[in-house]
Amino acid sequence: MKMKKIAGLFFVIFWALYLSGCSMFPAGPQPSDVNHWQVGTSAGRLGRLTENQLAQLKQAGFDCIEIGLDRIRSADDFAAKIEQARQLQQSAQITGIKIWSIHIPYGRDIDISLCDPANREKALEEVSRMISLCEYIKPEKLVIHASFEPVPENERAQRFEACKESLAVLVKTAAVYNARLTVECLPRTCLGNTSSEILDLINAIDGLEVCCDVNHLLQETPQEFIKRVGSPITTLHISDYDGVDERHWLPGQGIINWNNVLDSLVNIEYQGPFMFESAGTAREKIEVWNKLKTDYLLSVDK
Ligand SMILES: [Zn+2]
């Protein structure tokens, strides 16, 4: 009898908490989550970004940036980059802007999917040196391309396997510096040009994350890609396109349905910044971001 009373009491408490929307029962992803996202932009390369430029980006409304790197051609060059990296981190601290990510360069001879072991090893060595700059720059993410292009169809499977081996090594190198390696979805014949190929890579490699470049998807819509790949997407490249090839236009100038893109990101509980990699001035990007947010919140409110 006593047990029944206790069980009844628990039942009443359970429903009272449930109906009051108690945080014991989290509501799940909400459209208003977009209000908590940071906003960022790609902002030039290491060695060419001045403190003044960082201050201007901060003033325009950006929280964080992605930087690019030039190739490392010699030991002296590497030493110079270390000095530039120290200076950049100092400028970032002074101006209050975060260096969220570093984009690893890509090219014919810096391709982690090369089949020739000696050439691939050379590429891996250079990329590893670049990753070691994280000691000074301290980014959260590194963005890498799975291959250069074109990738001939008859080489694709072999190149894919070589790429997996490389990514497995580089994920570990990045982890040494507390950075996460993200593989970017790419257009045309590049490796990683569909959600299926990206899923194949992340399922094969522990700790590998994804950079979703919404203007690189030529075989599916960005929202389809985001829905399929899900939470491993931890950073973005935001721009618009015509669906035919990458264009890097300012959002709103192409065919992307931004309400659907924002909704799919909310649904995977995306936590990273809304990172522009597009044409347009700092002011235009911030204005566009505010408009995309407002339009999306209005659309889900109807
Ligand atoms: Zn990109």
Side-chain angles (χ1 to χ4, degrees), residues 172-293:
K172 289 187 183 134
T173 312
V176 171
Y177 301 98
N178 270 330
R180 305 272 166 257
L181 190 69
T182 70
V183 63
E184 180 173 2
C185 57
L186 297 174
R188 304 176 295 272
T189 65
C190 299
L191 299 182
N193 60 1
T194 57
S195 52
S196 302
E197 284 200 351
I198 290 288
L199 282 168
D200 196 348
L201 292 174
I202 56 173
N203 289 335
I205 300 150
D206 267 359
L208 180 65
E209 299 179 0
V210 177
C211 170
C212 176
D213 186 316
V214 292
N215 108 126
H216 280 172
L217 294 158
L218 306 182
Q219 301 185 47
E220 62 205 310
T221 63
Q223 57 271 27
E224 283 164 350
F225 178 92
I226 293 163
K227 200 173 165 189
R228 275 200 80 199
V229 175
S231 59
I233 298 171
T234 57
T235 192
L236 302 171
H237 281 169
I238 293 293
S239 67
D240 219 327
Y241 71 150
D242 54 10
V244 179
D245 204 354
E246 61 181 318
R247 303 291 179 203
H248 294 278
W249 292 332
L250 200 61
Q253 298 188 343
I255 61 153
I256 290 182
N257 182 322
W258 291 98
N259 286 347
N260 287 348
V261 168
L262 292 191
D263 203 48
S264 56
L265 288 168
V266 165
N267 283 326
I268 66 160
E269 302 190 48
Y270 178 72
Q271 304 285 328
F274 197 75
M275 180 67 75
F276 282 81
E277 195 195 42
S278 77
T281 64
R283 201 173 142 187
E284 284 169 333
K285 290 173 194 172
I286 294 291
E287 275 172 12
V288 161
W289 171 224
N290 288 331
K291 183 176 179 335
L292 294 182
K293 266 193 292 192

Side-chain angles (χ1 to χ4, degrees), residues 4-63:
K4 256 189 175 175
K5 266 191 182 169
I6 293 168
L9 191 63
F10 269 115
F11 184 76
V12 170
I13 292 169
F14 178 89
W15 276 107
L17 288 170
Y18 182 75
L19 293 172
S20 69
C22 172
S23 58
M24 270 176 73
F25 304 95
Q30 298 293 317
S32 58
D33 293 347
V34 294
N35 289 321
H36 306 302
W37 295 352
Q38 297 209 324
V39 61
T41 183
S42 57
R45 294 180 183 191
L46 179 68
R48 302 184 211 168
L49 258 175
T50 64
E51 192 175 308
N52 196 24
Q53 284 170 311
L54 295 188
Q56 283 174 2
L57 288 170
K58 180 73 185 172
Q59 206 184 5
F62 288 104
D63 305 294

